[in-house]
């Protein structure tokens, strides 16, 4: 899927005065991981809120939430690996 590109700081990317568009699978995954439920007005139940899981939840709960949110966004999740502070997700658009 093509969408407006964001910088690493999540600002809109601009080149020559125009918004930049690009394929955005990794960007969509990043946004779902870092946003909390209620931050997307048009989809109030979207968002993993990974920071909320750091101290309170098990790896299984986090993995389940990631799979659910990515699937709801139209992705097919092949694997979710959580080891210490490392998170690896393999997912593609359906």
């Amino acid at each position: 899927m093509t969408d407006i590109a964001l910088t690493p700081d999540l600002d809109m990317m601009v080149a020559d005065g125009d918004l930049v568009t690009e394929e955005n699978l990794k960007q969509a995954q990043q946004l779902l991981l870092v946003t909390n439920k209620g931050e997307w007005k048009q989809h109030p139940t979207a968002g993993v809120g990974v920071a909320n899981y750091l101290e309170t939840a098990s790896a299984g709960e986090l993995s389940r939430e990631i799979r659910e949110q990515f699937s709801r966004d139209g992705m097919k999740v092949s694997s979710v690996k959580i080891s210490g502070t490392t998170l690896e997700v393999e997912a593609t658009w359906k």
Side-chain angles (χ1 to χ4, degrees):
M1 181 183 303
T2 302
D3 204 349
I4 295 170
L6 300 177
T7 68
D9 295 329
L10 302 179
D11 292 323
M12 288 186 282
M13 195 177 295
V14 178
D16 299 322
D18 293 322
L19 292 175
V20 176
T21 60
E22 64 184 13
E23 193 282 321
N24 71 347
L25 177 63
K26 294 296 181 190
Q27 178 177 292
Q29 292 172 346
Q30 177 189 12
L31 290 172
L32 278 173
L33 287 171
V34 301
T35 56
N36 295 301
K37 288 176 179 35
E39 289 188 55
W40 297 94
K41 278 188 166 184
Q42 68 276 34
H43 301 286
T45 60
V48 173
V50 73
N52 299 325
Y53 286 87
L54 294 178
E55 296 178 11
T56 60
S58 71
E61 291 172 346
L62 176 56
S63 177
R64 190 170 30 261
E65 184 68 15
I66 290 169
R67 286 179 180 279
E68 179 182 331
Q69 291 297 324
F70 281 27
S71 294
R72 291 170 79 192
D73 197 52
M75 294 178 219
K76 180 181 179 191
V77 180
S78 301
S79 70
V80 177
K81 298 176 186 172
I82 302 168
S83 176
T85 58
T86 303
L87 171 63
E88 294 180 34
V89 180
E90 290 184 31
T92 58
W93 296 117
K94 291 182 183 176

